[in-house]
Amino acid sequence: MLILQDIAYSHPNKDLLFDNISLTVNNHDKVALIGNNGSGKSTLLKIISGSLPPSSGRVVADSKPYFIPQIFGQYNHLTIAEALNINVKLKALEEILAGNATEENMLLLDDDWTIDQRCREALNYWQLDDLDLNLKMSNLSGGQKTKVFLAGIHIHQPEFVLLDEPSNHLDVKGREQLYDFIQTSNKTLLIVSHDRKLLNLLNLVCELSKHGITVYGGNYDFYAEQKQLQREALDQDIKSKEKALRKAKEKERETIERQQKLDARGKKKQEKAGTARIMMNTLRNKAENSTSKVKDIHADRIDGIFQELKDLRASATDTDKMKLGFDNSSLHKGKVLFTAKDVNFSYSDRLLWPENLNFQIVSGERIALKGLNGSGKTTLIKIILGNIVPQEGDVYIADNKTIYIDQDYSLINNVLSVYQQAELYNNSGLQEHEIKSRLNRFLFTKQDWDKPCESLSGGERMRLILCCLTISNQAPDIIVLDEPTNNLDIQSMEILTMAINEYRGTLIVVSHDSYFLEQINIERFIKL
């Protein structure tokens, strides 16, 4: 069991990341931890693992959790065995089997006689049986590093496992193995992920924000349904509050007009009655004070309603604002954009594809390139873009405008500010205030305009690219997305999905995220 009691964490500069985090995870629970980028999910996992102390609060756990991090660069100087913290035991077992059964070696082995067998079984299960445990982690791909730590679960046999974005670097086959492990495991799992297929395998969703954790008793689909109901209720509250504000203003106007009429009528009566000037001034002051008091009462009420409305609007989702709004007039549906005839490519005299490729891309299609890691998806993209020429076969590339959004968001110039980056795409003569209005629409407020692009998260970079495309206005003939959902939180993925579904041109996507491919209505797969 895991119990978090009033956990808070502040950055070294004293900025609060989150506060009031309380949560109970029971044995054998399979829990998703979700939240927007920057909400502190990875930090909370580090606190639970014991590698980072909280600023306040208490973590109580039955056993030390096994932690699979999102980033593995810190292990690059270690061997696989060292990264898994099994090198000492393996060395001791090797010494004992060689006849050197010293007391020190026996203590180091700690009666773990099956560790070598578990290592072979675990590496074999994750298709890593060709790896030497003495190989440096720096020689492995991102997917292999993930699998090494997943293999560590079988080796160490922990009761409680923390996983931070475990499917990020895995290809389709690796993801299917991960899903199978999650479904069949009886271990307690706490998983940070934006992989919605994975999230649907878990029985509890915990949403992290600055002010705490909200628990939803079901998988991701259940969570999404509840969030939709909340959004609809919030929309109703906003409409109701807008109506109340209009009525309050109307009531204020009617009351003031009525009061002023009464005051004017009273003044006329006093004038006819010949009331002394000094008394008239006193009566006028009383009338003005009365009107002012009425105004103050109504102003307080209107201010209260306005503040409530402002708070409601602040909590509403901003995704609906983010429309690409392309001018699609230059797109010609059905136009042949690319043709490959007996195409192949070779590295070191070895052909990349077992069979030469023959296919055509027509304007308006939505295509996904599928294949395992190393199957040549990125190479094929470079051929389609005209960046490289195949060694075999012929290609036809029509004159077209293509936007390529790669995994590193290379369209973003890191030395520029957010505003300067947006201005680069201003080929339609927008005024400065119009560019800033577009930036606001994509959640870049005044505080962000001068921020350097190098400081942006993956989700922010994706939003900025989409914003730049709206500023350029003219729809590209082709948009190519290379693993677009890696490093995006769920909100950012919803924004991307909405934007892509609004686009009417040709879409080519490389992604292992089957849920995302389904959401953006992929029509055809090219399998490598």
Side-chain angles (χ1 to χ4, degrees), residues 165-404:
E165 299 287 4
S167 63
N168 256 15
H169 301 288
L170 299 179
D171 57 24
V172 172
K173 192 171 181 180
R175 288 188 181 210
E176 290 301 329
Q177 282 187 290
L178 175 63
Y179 302 152
D180 183 63
F181 162 74
I182 289 169
Q183 284 179 296
T184 58
S185 175
N186 64 353
K187 299 182 185 302
T188 306
L189 304 175
L190 179 56
I191 305 176
V192 169
S193 181
H194 63 261
D195 180 340
R196 288 163 289 188
K197 187 169 181 180
L198 184 157
L199 294 173
N200 271 331
L201 303 176
L202 309 178
N203 56 17
L204 209 64
V205 174
C206 299
E207 186 176 40
L208 177 65
S209 69
K210 189 173 185 176
H211 303 295
I213 276 183
T214 305
V215 179
Y216 296 83
N219 63 7
Y220 176 77
D221 282 346
F222 176 80
Y223 158 82
E225 287 171 10
Q226 296 304 303
K227 292 294 282 186
Q228 181 60 33
L229 290 173
Q230 289 174 11
R231 278 194 287 269
E232 289 170 1
L234 182 60
D235 287 344
Q236 282 300 115
D237 286 346
I238 289 172
K239 287 174 184 173
S240 175
K241 203 59 70 176
E242 286 172 341
K243 187 177 180 181
L245 184 61
R246 286 195 301 271
K247 281 190 172 181
K249 286 181 176 179
E250 192 177 314
K251 182 74 172 174
E252 177 194 40
R253 181 180 54 77
E254 289 173 352
T255 304
I256 290 171
E257 284 177 358
R258 187 165 56 250
Q259 185 65 46
Q260 286 172 341
K261 283 177 183 176
L262 288 172
D263 292 343
R265 201 174 297 144
K267 183 181 176 184
K268 282 181 182 177
K269 281 183 181 178
Q270 298 299 332
E271 284 174 347
K272 283 182 180 178
T275 306
R277 181 182 293 274
I278 189 165
M279 181 60 73
M280 287 288 289
N281 288 338
T282 301
L283 291 170
R284 188 182 69 246
N285 289 339
K286 279 185 178 180
E288 287 173 354
N289 288 339
S290 176
T291 302
S292 176
K293 197 174 288 184
V294 168
K295 281 183 178 179
D296 288 344
I297 291 168
H298 282 277
D300 287 345
R301 184 161 186 267
I302 288 170
D303 285 346
I305 296 172
F306 180 77
Q307 188 56 51
E308 288 172 3
L309 180 58
K310 187 178 176 184
D311 293 342
L312 286 171
R313 283 174 174 162
S315 61
T317 178
D318 292 290
T319 54
D320 290 342
K321 297 179 188 175
M322 296 180 227
K323 304 289 186 184
L324 285 175
F326 278 142
D327 176 5
N328 292 307
S329 59
S330 66
L331 297 177
H332 304 294
K333 198 167 181 66
K335 175 184 175 183
V336 176
L337 297 175
F338 179 88
T339 302
K341 187 175 181 181
D342 293 324
V343 163
N344 217 317
F345 196 86
S346 64
Y347 291 101
S348 304
D349 299 323
R350 184 180 65 84
L351 288 175
L352 190 53
W353 301 299
E355 296 181 5
N356 291 347
L357 303 180
N358 290 277
F359 65 91
Q360 197 171 68
I361 296 174
V362 175
S363 179
E365 285 193 289
R366 301 175 90 79
I367 301 168
L369 306 184
K370 294 200 75 174
L372 301 178
N373 288 342
S375 61
K377 297 185 294 294
T378 300
T379 299
L380 182 55
I381 284 175
K382 289 177 181 177
I383 292 172
I384 292 170
L385 294 174
N387 294 339
I388 59 174
V389 178
Q391 274 96 353
E392 293 194 10
D394 298 306
V395 297
Y396 163 76
I397 304 175
D399 184 32
N400 65 75
K401 180 185 177 186
T402 302
I403 295 292
Y404 176 40

Side-chain angles (χ1 to χ4, degrees), residues 489-500:
D489 59 28
I490 289 173
Q491 183 194 43
S492 297
M493 284 198 292
E494 287 175 351
I495 293 167
L496 177 62
T497 301
M498 190 180 300
I500 289 303

